Coordinates of all heavy atoms in Angstrom, one line a residue:
M1 N -7.9 7.3 6.5 CA -8.1 6.4 7.5 C -9.5 5.7 7.3 O -10.5 6.3 7.0 CB -8.2 7.1 8.9 CG -6.8 7.8 9.3 SD -5.5 6.7 9.6 CE -6.0 5.9 11.2
V2 N -9.5 4.4 7.5 CA -10.7 3.6 7.5 C -10.7 2.9 8.9 O -9.8 2.1 9.1 CB -10.8 2.6 6.4 CG1 -12.1 1.8 6.5 CG2 -10.8 3.3 5.0
D3 N -11.7 3.2 9.7 CA -11.6 2.8 11.1 C -10.3 3.3 11.6 O -9.9 4.5 11.5 CB -11.8 1.4 11.3 CG -13.3 0.9 10.9 OD1 -14.2 1.8 11.1 OD2 -13.4 -0.2 10.4
D4 N -9.4 2.4 12.1 CA -8.1 2.8 12.6 C -7.0 2.5 11.7 O -5.8 2.5 12.0 CB -7.8 2.2 14.0 CG -8.7 2.7 15.1 OD1 -9.1 3.9 14.9 OD2 -9.0 2.1 16.1
Q5 N -7.4 2.1 10.4 CA -6.4 1.6 9.5 C -6.0 2.7 8.5 O -6.8 3.2 7.7 CB -7.0 0.4 8.7 CG -7.4 -0.7 9.6 CD -8.1 -1.8 8.8 OE1 -7.5 -2.6 8.1 NE2 -9.4 -1.8 8.9
P6 N -4.7 3.1 8.5 CA -4.2 4.1 7.6 C -4.0 3.4 6.2 O -3.4 2.4 6.1 CB -2.9 4.5 8.1 CG -2.4 3.4 9.0 CD -3.6 2.7 9.4
I7 N -4.6 4.0 5.2 CA -4.6 3.5 3.9 C -4.0 4.5 2.9 O -4.4 5.7 2.9 CB -6.0 3.0 3.4 CG1 -6.5 1.8 4.3 CG2 -6.0 2.5 2.0 CD1 -7.8 1.3 4.1
A8 N -3.1 4.1 2.1 CA -2.5 4.9 1.0 C -3.1 4.5 -0.3 O -3.1 3.3 -0.6 CB -1.0 4.8 1.0
L9 N -3.6 5.5 -1.0 CA -4.1 5.3 -2.4 C -3.0 5.8 -3.4 O -2.6 6.9 -3.3 CB -5.4 6.0 -2.6 CG -6.7 5.5 -2.0 CD1 -7.9 6.3 -2.4 CD2 -6.9 4.1 -2.6
F10 N -2.7 4.9 -4.3 CA -1.8 5.3 -5.3 C -2.4 5.2 -6.7 O -3.1 4.2 -6.9 CB -0.5 4.4 -5.3 CG 0.2 4.4 -4.0 CD1 0.1 3.3 -3.1 CD2 1.1 5.5 -3.7 CE1 0.8 3.4 -1.9 CE2 1.7 5.5 -2.5 CZ 1.6 4.5 -1.6
N11 N -2.2 6.1 -7.6 CA -2.6 6.0 -9.0 C -1.4 5.8 -9.8 O -0.6 6.6 -10.0 CB -3.3 7.3 -9.4 CG -3.8 7.3 -10.8 OD1 -3.4 6.4 -11.6 ND2 -4.7 8.1 -11.1
I12 N -1.2 4.5 -10.1 CA 0.0 4.0 -10.9 C -0.4 3.8 -12.3 O -0.9 2.8 -12.7 CB 0.6 2.8 -10.3 CG1 0.9 2.9 -8.8 CG2 1.8 2.4 -11.0 CD1 1.9 3.9 -8.4
G13 N -0.2 4.9 -13.1 CA -0.6 4.8 -14.6 C -2.0 4.4 -14.8 O -2.4 3.7 -15.7
G14 N -2.9 4.9 -13.9 CA -4.3 4.7 -14.0 C -4.8 3.5 -13.2 O -6.0 3.4 -13.0
K15 N -3.9 2.7 -12.7 CA -4.3 1.6 -11.8 C -4.3 2.1 -10.4 O -3.3 2.6 -9.9 CB -3.4 0.4 -12.0 CG -3.8 -0.7 -11.1 CD -2.9 -1.9 -11.3 CE -3.4 -3.1 -10.4 NZ -2.4 -4.2 -10.4
I16 N -5.4 1.9 -9.7 CA -5.5 2.4 -8.3 C -5.1 1.3 -7.3 O -5.6 0.1 -7.4 CB -6.9 2.9 -7.9 CG1 -7.4 3.9 -8.9 CG2 -6.9 3.4 -6.5 CD1 -6.6 5.2 -9.0
L17 N -4.1 1.6 -6.5 CA -3.7 0.7 -5.5 C -4.1 1.2 -4.1 O -3.9 2.4 -3.8 CB -2.2 0.4 -5.5 CG -1.5 0.0 -6.8 CD1 0.0 -0.1 -6.6 CD2 -2.0 -1.4 -7.2
A18 N -4.6 0.3 -3.3 CA -4.9 0.7 -1.9 C -4.0 -0.2 -1.0 O -4.2 -1.3 -0.8 CB -6.3 0.5 -1.5
W19 N -3.0 0.5 -0.4 CA -2.1 -0.3 0.5 C -2.2 0.2 1.9 O -2.5 1.4 2.1 CB -0.6 0.0 0.0 CG -0.2 -0.7 -1.2 CD1 -1.0 -1.4 -2.1 CD2 1.1 -0.8 -1.8 NE1 -0.2 -1.9 -3.1 CE2 1.1 -1.5 -2.9 CE3 2.4 -0.3 -1.3 CZ2 2.2 -1.8 -3.7 CZ3 3.5 -0.6 -2.1 CH2 3.4 -1.3 -3.3
D20 N -1.8 -0.7 2.8 CA -1.7 -0.2 4.2 C -0.6 0.8 4.2 O 0.5 0.6 3.6 CB -1.3 -1.4 5.1 CG -1.2 -1.1 6.5 OD1 -0.7 0.0 6.9 OD2 -1.6 -2.0 7.3
N21 N -0.9 2.0 4.8 CA 0.1 3.1 4.7 C 1.2 3.0 5.8 O 1.9 3.9 6.1 CB -0.6 4.4 4.9 CG 0.3 5.6 4.4 OD1 1.2 5.4 3.6 ND2 0.1 6.7 5.0
R22 N 1.4 1.8 6.3 CA 2.5 1.5 7.2 C 3.5 0.6 6.6 O 3.2 -0.5 6.3 CB 2.0 0.9 8.5 CG 1.0 1.8 9.3 CD 0.3 1.1 10.4 NE -0.7 0.2 9.8 CZ -1.7 -0.3 10.4 NH1 -1.9 0.0 11.7 NH2 -2.6 -1.1 9.8
C23 N 4.7 1.1 6.4 CA 5.8 0.3 5.9 C 6.0 -0.9 6.7 O 6.0 -0.9 7.9 CB 7.1 1.2 5.8 SG 8.5 0.3 5.2
P24 N 6.1 -2.1 6.0 CA 6.3 -3.3 6.8 C 7.6 -3.3 7.6 O 7.7 -4.1 8.5 CB 6.4 -4.4 5.7 CG 5.8 -3.8 4.5 CD 6.0 -2.3 4.6
H25 N 8.5 -2.4 7.4 CA 9.8 -2.4 8.1 C 9.5 -1.8 9.5 O 9.5 -2.5 10.5 CB 10.8 -1.6 7.4 CG 12.1 -1.6 8.1 ND1 13.0 -0.4 8.1 CD2 12.8 -2.5 8.8 CE1 14.0 -0.7 8.8 NE2 14.0 -1.9 9.3
R26 N 9.3 -0.5 9.6 CA 9.1 0.2 10.9 C 7.9 1.1 10.9 O 7.7 1.9 11.8 CB 10.3 1.0 11.2 CG 11.6 0.2 11.4 CD 11.8 -0.1 12.9 NE 12.9 -1.0 13.1 CZ 14.2 -0.7 13.5 NH1 14.5 0.6 13.8 NH2 15.1 -1.6 13.7
G27 N 7.0 1.0 9.9 CA 5.7 1.6 9.9 C 5.7 3.0 9.4 O 4.6 3.7 9.6
A28 N 6.6 3.5 8.7 CA 6.6 4.8 8.2 C 5.5 4.9 7.1 O 5.1 3.9 6.5 CB 8.0 5.2 7.6
S29 N 5.1 6.1 6.8 CA 4.1 6.3 5.8 C 4.7 6.1 4.4 O 5.6 6.7 3.9 CB 3.6 7.8 5.8 OG 2.8 8.1 4.6
L30 N 4.0 5.1 3.7 CA 4.5 4.8 2.3 C 4.0 5.9 1.3 O 4.7 6.2 0.3 CB 4.0 3.5 1.8 CG 4.6 2.2 2.6 CD1 3.9 1.0 2.2 CD2 6.1 2.2 2.3
A31 N 2.9 6.6 1.7 CA 2.4 7.7 0.8 C 3.4 8.8 0.8 O 3.4 9.6 -0.1 CB 1.0 8.1 1.3
D32 N 4.2 9.0 1.8 CA 5.2 10.0 1.8 C 6.5 9.7 1.1 O 7.5 10.4 1.1 CB 5.5 10.4 3.3 CG 4.4 11.1 4.0 OD1 3.5 11.6 3.3 OD2 4.3 11.1 5.2
G33 N 6.5 8.4 0.6 CA 7.8 8.0 0.0 C 7.9 8.4 -1.5 O 7.2 9.3 -1.9
N34 N 8.9 7.9 -2.1 CA 9.1 8.2 -3.5 C 8.3 7.2 -4.4 O 8.5 6.0 -4.2 CB 10.6 8.1 -3.8 CG 11.5 9.0 -3.0 OD1 11.1 10.2 -2.9 ND2 12.5 8.6 -2.4
I35 N 7.5 7.7 -5.3 CA 6.6 6.9 -6.0 C 6.9 7.0 -7.5 O 7.0 8.1 -8.1 CB 5.2 7.4 -5.7 CG1 4.9 7.3 -4.2 CG2 4.2 6.5 -6.5 CD1 3.7 8.1 -3.8
S36 N 7.1 5.8 -8.1 CA 7.3 5.8 -9.5 C 6.3 4.7 -10.1 O 5.6 4.1 -9.3 CB 8.7 5.4 -9.9 OG 9.0 4.1 -9.6
E37 N 6.4 4.5 -11.3 CA 5.4 3.5 -11.9 C 5.7 2.1 -11.4 O 4.7 1.4 -11.2 CB 5.5 3.5 -13.5 CG 4.4 2.8 -14.1 CD 4.3 3.1 -15.5 OE1 4.4 4.2 -15.9 OE2 4.2 2.1 -16.4
D38 N 6.9 1.7 -11.2 CA 7.2 0.4 -10.8 C 7.5 0.2 -9.3 O 7.4 -0.9 -8.8 CB 8.4 -0.1 -11.6 CG 8.2 -0.1 -13.1 OD1 7.1 -0.3 -13.5 OD2 9.2 0.2 -13.8
V39 N 7.9 1.3 -8.7 CA 8.4 1.1 -7.3 C 7.9 2.2 -6.4 O 7.8 3.4 -6.8 CB 10.0 1.2 -7.3 CG1 10.6 1.2 -5.9 CG2 10.6 0.1 -8.1
I40 N 7.5 1.8 -5.2 CA 7.3 2.8 -4.1 C 8.4 2.6 -3.1 O 8.6 1.5 -2.6 CB 5.9 2.6 -3.5 CG1 4.8 2.9 -4.6 CG2 5.7 3.5 -2.3 CD1 3.4 2.6 -4.2
Q41 N 9.1 3.7 -2.8 CA 10.2 3.6 -1.9 C 9.9 4.3 -0.6 O 9.5 5.5 -0.6 CB 11.5 4.2 -2.5 CG 12.7 4.1 -1.7 CD 13.9 4.9 -2.3 OE1 13.7 6.1 -2.7 NE2 15.0 4.3 -2.5
C42 N 10.0 3.6 0.5 CA 9.8 4.2 1.8 C 10.9 5.3 2.0 O 12.1 5.1 1.8 CB 9.9 3.2 2.9 SG 9.6 3.8 4.5
K43 N 10.5 6.4 2.6 CA 11.5 7.5 2.7 C 12.4 7.3 3.9 O 13.4 7.9 4.0 CB 10.8 8.8 2.8 CG 10.0 9.1 4.1 CD 9.4 10.4 4.1 CE 8.7 10.6 5.5 NZ 8.1 11.9 5.6
F44 N 12.0 6.4 4.8 CA 12.8 6.3 6.1 C 14.1 5.5 5.9 O 15.2 6.1 6.2 CB 12.0 5.6 7.2 CG 11.3 6.6 8.0 CD1 10.7 7.7 7.5 CD2 11.3 6.5 9.4 CE1 10.0 8.7 8.3 CE2 10.7 7.5 10.2 CZ 10.0 8.6 9.7
H45 N 14.0 4.3 5.4 CA 15.2 3.5 5.3 C 15.3 3.0 3.8 O 16.1 2.1 3.6 CB 15.2 2.3 6.3 CG 14.9 2.8 7.7 ND1 13.7 2.6 8.3 CD2 15.7 3.4 8.6 CE1 13.8 3.1 9.5 NE2 15.0 3.6 9.7
L46 N 14.5 3.5 3.0 CA 14.7 3.3 1.5 C 14.3 1.9 1.0 O 14.8 1.5 0.0 CB 16.0 3.8 1.0 CG 16.4 5.2 1.4 CD1 17.8 5.6 0.8 CD2 15.4 6.2 1.0
W47 N 13.5 1.2 1.8 CA 13.1 -0.1 1.3 C 12.2 0.2 0.1 O 11.5 1.2 0.0 CB 12.2 -0.8 2.3 CG 13.0 -1.5 3.4 CD1 14.3 -1.2 3.8 CD2 12.6 -2.6 4.2 NE1 14.7 -2.1 4.9 CE2 13.6 -3.0 5.1 CE3 11.4 -3.4 4.2 CZ2 13.5 -4.0 6.0 CZ3 11.3 -4.4 5.2 CH2 12.3 -4.7 6.0
E48 N 12.3 -0.7 -0.9 CA 11.5 -0.5 -2.1 C 10.5 -1.6 -2.3 O 10.8 -2.8 -2.0 CB 12.5 -0.4 -3.3 CG 13.4 0.7 -3.3 CD 14.3 0.8 -4.5 OE1 14.8 -0.3 -4.9 OE2 14.5 1.9 -5.1
F49 N 9.3 -1.2 -2.8 CA 8.2 -2.2 -3.0 C 7.8 -2.2 -4.5 O 7.5 -1.1 -5.0 CB 7.1 -1.9 -2.0 CG 7.5 -2.0 -0.6 CD1 8.0 -0.8 0.1 CD2 7.5 -3.2 0.1 CE1 8.4 -0.9 1.4 CE2 8.0 -3.2 1.4 CZ 8.4 -2.1 2.1
D50 N 7.7 -3.4 -5.0 CA 7.2 -3.5 -6.4 C 5.7 -3.2 -6.5 O 5.0 -3.9 -5.7 CB 7.6 -4.9 -6.9 CG 7.4 -5.0 -8.4 OD1 6.3 -4.7 -8.9 OD2 8.3 -5.6 -9.0
T51 N 5.3 -2.3 -7.3 CA 3.9 -2.0 -7.4 C 3.0 -3.1 -8.0 O 1.8 -3.2 -7.9 CB 3.6 -0.7 -8.2 OG1 4.2 -0.8 -9.5 CG2 4.2 0.5 -7.5
R52 N 3.7 -4.0 -8.7 CA 3.0 -5.2 -9.3 C 2.8 -6.3 -8.4 O 1.7 -6.9 -8.2 CB 3.6 -5.6 -10.6 CG 3.6 -4.5 -11.7 CD 4.7 -4.8 -12.7 NE 6.0 -4.6 -12.0 CZ 7.1 -4.8 -12.6 NH1 7.2 -5.1 -13.8 NH2 8.2 -4.6 -11.9
T53 N 3.9 -6.7 -7.7 CA 3.8 -7.8 -6.8 C 3.4 -7.4 -5.4 O 3.1 -8.3 -4.5 CB 5.2 -8.5 -6.7 OG1 6.1 -7.6 -6.1 CG2 5.6 -9.0 -8.1
E54 N 3.6 -6.1 -5.0 CA 3.3 -5.6 -3.7 C 4.3 -6.2 -2.7 O 4.0 -6.2 -1.5 CB 1.8 -5.8 -3.3 CG 0.9 -5.2 -4.3 CD -0.6 -5.4 -4.0 OE1 -0.9 -6.3 -3.3 OE2 -1.4 -4.6 -4.5
C55 N 5.4 -6.6 -3.1 CA 6.5 -7.2 -2.2 C 7.7 -6.3 -2.2 O 8.0 -5.5 -3.2 CB 6.9 -8.6 -2.8 SG 5.6 -9.8 -2.6
A56 N 8.5 -6.5 -1.2 CA 9.8 -5.8 -1.1 C 10.7 -6.3 -2.2 O 10.8 -7.6 -2.4 CB 10.4 -6.0 0.3
I57 N 11.4 -5.5 -2.9 CA 12.3 -5.9 -4.0 C 13.4 -6.7 -3.5 O 13.8 -7.7 -4.1 CB 12.7 -4.7 -4.8 CG1 11.5 -4.1 -5.5 CG2 13.8 -5.0 -5.8 CD1 11.7 -2.8 -6.3
E58 N 14.0 -6.3 -2.4 CA 15.2 -7.0 -1.8 C 14.8 -8.4 -1.2 O 15.6 -9.3 -1.1 CB 15.9 -6.2 -0.8 CG 16.6 -5.0 -1.5 CD 17.8 -5.5 -2.3 OE1 18.6 -6.4 -2.0 OE2 18.0 -4.8 -3.4
N59 N 13.5 -8.4 -0.7 CA 13.1 -9.6 0.0 C 11.6 -9.9 -0.3 O 10.8 -9.4 0.4 CB 13.3 -9.6 1.5 CG 12.9 -10.8 2.2 OD1 12.3 -11.7 1.6 ND2 13.3 -10.9 3.5
P60 N 11.4 -10.6 -1.4 CA 9.9 -10.8 -1.9 C 9.1 -11.5 -0.9 O 7.9 -11.6 -1.1 CB 10.1 -11.6 -3.2 CG 11.5 -11.4 -3.6 CD 12.3 -11.2 -2.4
T61 N 9.6 -12.1 0.2 CA 8.8 -12.7 1.2 C 8.0 -11.7 2.1 O 7.1 -12.0 2.8 CB 9.5 -13.7 2.1 OG1 10.5 -12.9 2.9 CG2 10.2 -14.7 1.3
I62 N 8.5 -10.4 2.0 CA 7.9 -9.3 2.7 C 6.9 -8.7 1.8 O 7.2 -8.1 0.7 CB 8.9 -8.3 3.2 CG1 9.9 -9.0 4.1 CG2 8.2 -7.1 3.9 CD1 11.1 -8.1 4.5
K63 N 5.6 -8.7 2.1 CA 4.5 -8.2 1.3 C 3.8 -7.1 2.0 O 3.5 -7.1 3.2 CB 3.6 -9.4 1.0 CG 2.5 -9.0 -0.1 CD 1.8 -10.3 -0.6 CE 0.7 -10.1 -1.5 NZ 0.8 -9.1 -2.5
V64 N 3.4 -6.0 1.2 CA 2.6 -5.0 1.8 C 1.2 -5.4 1.9 O 0.7 -6.1 1.0 CB 2.8 -3.7 0.9 CG1 1.9 -2.6 1.4 CG2 4.2 -3.3 0.7
K65 N 0.6 -5.1 3.0 CA -0.8 -5.4 3.1 C -1.6 -4.5 2.1 O -1.4 -3.3 2.0 CB -1.3 -5.1 4.5 CG -2.8 -5.6 4.8 CD -3.1 -5.4 6.2 CE -4.5 -5.8 6.5 NZ -4.8 -5.6 8.0
S66 N -2.5 -5.1 1.3 CA -3.2 -4.3 0.3 C -4.7 -4.7 0.4 O -5.1 -5.7 1.0 CB -2.7 -4.5 -1.1 OG -2.9 -5.9 -1.5
Y67 N -5.5 -3.9 -0.2 CA -7.0 -4.1 -0.2 C -7.6 -4.0 -1.6 O -7.1 -3.3 -2.5 CB -7.7 -3.0 0.6 CG -7.1 -2.8 2.0 CD1 -6.1 -2.0 2.3 CD2 -7.6 -3.7 3.0 CE1 -5.5 -1.9 3.6 CE2 -7.1 -3.6 4.3 CZ -6.1 -2.7 4.6 OH -5.6 -2.7 5.9
P68 N -8.5 -4.9 -1.9 CA -9.2 -4.8 -3.2 C -9.8 -3.5 -3.5 O -10.4 -2.9 -2.6 CB -10.2 -5.9 -3.1 CG -9.9 -6.8 -2.0 CD -9.1 -5.9 -1.0
V69 N -9.7 -3.0 -4.7 CA -10.2 -1.7 -5.1 C -11.1 -1.9 -6.3 O -10.9 -2.7 -7.2 CB -9.0 -0.8 -5.6 CG1 -9.5 0.5 -6.2 CG2 -8.1 -0.5 -4.4
K70 N -12.2 -1.1 -6.3 CA -13.1 -1.1 -7.4 C -13.3 0.4 -7.8 O -13.5 1.2 -6.9 CB -14.4 -1.7 -7.1 CG -15.4 -1.8 -8.2 CD -16.6 -2.6 -7.9 CE -17.7 -1.8 -7.2 NZ -18.9 -2.5 -6.9
L71 N -13.2 0.7 -9.1 CA -13.4 2.1 -9.6 C -14.8 2.1 -10.3 O -14.9 1.3 -11.3 CB -12.3 2.5 -10.4 CG -12.2 3.9 -10.9 CD1 -12.2 4.9 -9.7 CD2 -11.1 4.1 -11.8
Q72 N -15.7 2.9 -9.8 CA -17.0 2.9 -10.5 C -17.5 4.4 -10.6 O -17.6 5.0 -9.5 CB -18.0 2.1 -9.7 CG -19.3 2.0 -10.4 CD -20.2 1.0 -9.6 OE1 -19.8 0.1 -8.9 NE2 -21.5 1.2 -9.8
D73 N -17.7 4.9 -11.7 CA -18.2 6.3 -11.9 C -17.2 7.2 -11.2 O -17.7 8.2 -10.6 CB -19.6 6.5 -11.4 CG -20.6 5.6 -12.1 OD1 -20.4 5.3 -13.3 OD2 -21.6 5.1 -11.5
D74 N -15.9 7.0 -11.4 CA -14.9 7.8 -10.9 C -14.9 7.9 -9.4 O -14.3 8.8 -8.8 CB -15.0 9.3 -11.4 CG -14.7 9.4 -12.9 OD1 -13.9 8.5 -13.4 OD2 -15.2 10.3 -13.6
I75 N -15.5 6.9 -8.7 CA -15.4 6.8 -7.3 C -14.7 5.5 -6.9 O -14.8 4.5 -7.5 CB -16.9 6.7 -6.7 CG1 -17.6 8.0 -7.0 CG2 -16.8 6.5 -5.2 CD1 -19.1 8.0 -6.5
V76 N -13.7 5.7 -6.1 CA -12.9 4.6 -5.6 C -13.5 3.9 -4.4 O -13.7 4.6 -3.4 CB -11.5 5.0 -5.3 CG1 -10.6 3.9 -4.7 CG2 -10.8 5.7 -6.5
Y77 N -13.7 2.6 -4.5 CA -14.3 1.8 -3.4 C -13.2 0.9 -3.0 O -12.5 0.2 -3.8 CB -15.5 1.0 -3.8 CG -16.7 1.8 -4.2 CD1 -16.9 2.2 -5.6 CD2 -17.6 2.3 -3.3 CE1 -17.9 3.0 -5.9 CE2 -18.7 3.1 -3.6 CZ -18.9 3.4 -5.0 OH -19.9 4.2 -5.3
I78 N -12.9 0.9 -1.7 CA -11.9 0.0 -1.1 C -12.6 -1.0 -0.2 O -13.4 -0.7 0.7 CB -10.9 0.8 -0.3 CG1 -10.4 1.9 -1.1 CG2 -9.8 -0.1 0.2 CD1 -9.6 2.9 -0.3
D79 N -12.3 -2.3 -0.4 CA -12.9 -3.4 0.4 C -12.0 -3.6 1.6 O -11.0 -4.3 1.6 CB -13.0 -4.6 -0.4 CG -13.7 -5.7 0.3 OD1 -14.2 -5.5 1.5 OD2 -13.8 -6.9 -0.2
V80 N -12.3 -2.9 2.7 CA -11.5 -3.0 4.0 C -12.4 -3.8 4.9 O -13.5 -3.5 5.3 CB -11.2 -1.6 4.6 CG1 -10.4 -1.8 5.9 CG2 -10.4 -0.8 3.5
P81 N -11.8 -4.9 5.5 CA -12.6 -5.7 6.4 C -12.9 -4.9 7.7 O -12.1 -4.1 8.1 CB -11.7 -6.9 6.8 CG -10.5 -6.8 5.8 CD -10.5 -5.5 5.2
A82 N -14.1 -5.1 8.2 CA -14.5 -4.4 9.4 C -13.7 -4.9 10.5 O -13.1 -6.0 10.5 CB -16.0 -4.7 9.7
V83 N -13.5 -4.1 11.5 CA -12.6 -4.4 12.6 C -13.0 -5.8 13.2 O -12.2 -6.6 13.5 CB -12.6 -3.3 13.7 CG1 -11.9 -3.8 14.9 CG2 -12.0 -2.0 13.1
S84 N -14.3 -6.0 13.3 CA -14.8 -7.3 13.9 C -14.5 -8.5 13.0 O -14.5 -9.6 13.5 CB -16.3 -7.2 14.1 OG -17.0 -7.0 12.9
D85 N -14.2 -8.3 11.7 CA -13.9 -9.4 10.8 C -12.4 -9.8 10.9 O -12.1 -10.8 10.4 CB -14.1 -8.9 9.3 CG -15.6 -8.7 9.0 OD1 -16.4 -9.2 9.9 OD2 -15.9 -8.2 8.0
K86 N -11.6 -9.0 11.6 CA -10.2 -9.3 11.6 C -9.9 -10.5 12.6 O -10.6 -10.6 13.6 CB -9.4 -8.1 12.1 CG -9.4 -7.0 11.1 CD -8.5 -5.9 11.7 CE -8.7 -4.6 11.0 NZ -8.1 -3.5 11.7
T87 N -9.0 -11.3 12.2 CA -8.6 -12.4 13.1 C -7.3 -12.2 13.7 O -6.5 -11.5 13.3 CB -8.6 -13.8 12.4 OG1 -7.8 -13.6 11.2 CG2 -10.0 -14.1 12.0
Ligands
LIG101 S1 10.3 2.3 7.9 FE1 10.1 1.9 5.8 S2 12.1 1.3 5.2 FE2 12.2 1.5 7.4

């Protein structure tokens, strides 16, 4: 959690992804889903998200909210806007 935002960190073949941990469908935890190199599948209704495009495979207009990540000295930094920065 960062402030009130649940964030899922995925290590996909060495690439770190920081995604909102709420499935765009009904908000289930994506971190609890099935994770492969190309696809993260929500465990609730099995929607699948492409790890490269961060979009739903069946409907690419649906995008997972993600955050920029920087890896420095084995520490993961996530650029999450402060609550007051949100519009
Ligand atoms: S809540 Fe994720 S597919 Fe329905």
Side-chain angles (χ1 to χ4, degrees):
M1 296 293 290
V2 175
D3 293 330
D4 290 334
Q5 301 172 77
I7 296 177
L9 282 180
F10 301 104
N11 182 341
I12 306 293
K15 181 180 179 189
I16 306 298
L17 303 176
W19 286 10
D20 187 319
N21 195 28
R22 295 168 288 197
C23 176
H25 182 219
R26 297 259 171 109
S29 167
L30 292 173
D32 291 339
N34 299 312
I35 301 163
S36 71
E37 188 165 318
D38 299 327
V39 175
I40 294 171
Q41 182 186 52
C42 181
K43 70 177 184 181
F44 267 44
H45 310 102
L46 308 180
W47 282 24
E48 295 180 317
F49 300 92
D50 188 310
T51 59
R52 293 159 297 180
T53 64
E54 303 178 340
C55 294
I57 291 174
E58 290 293 320
N59 183 349
T61 64
I62 299 171
K63 187 166 175 43
V64 177
K65 185 175 181 180
S66 64
Y67 302 94
V69 171
K70 184 172 85 176
L71 187 60
Q72 185 176 336
D73 299 327
D74 292 332
I75 298 173
V76 176
Y77 296 91
I78 308 168
D79 187 4
V80 179
V83 172
S84 60
D85 292 346
K86 293 183 195 169
T87 54

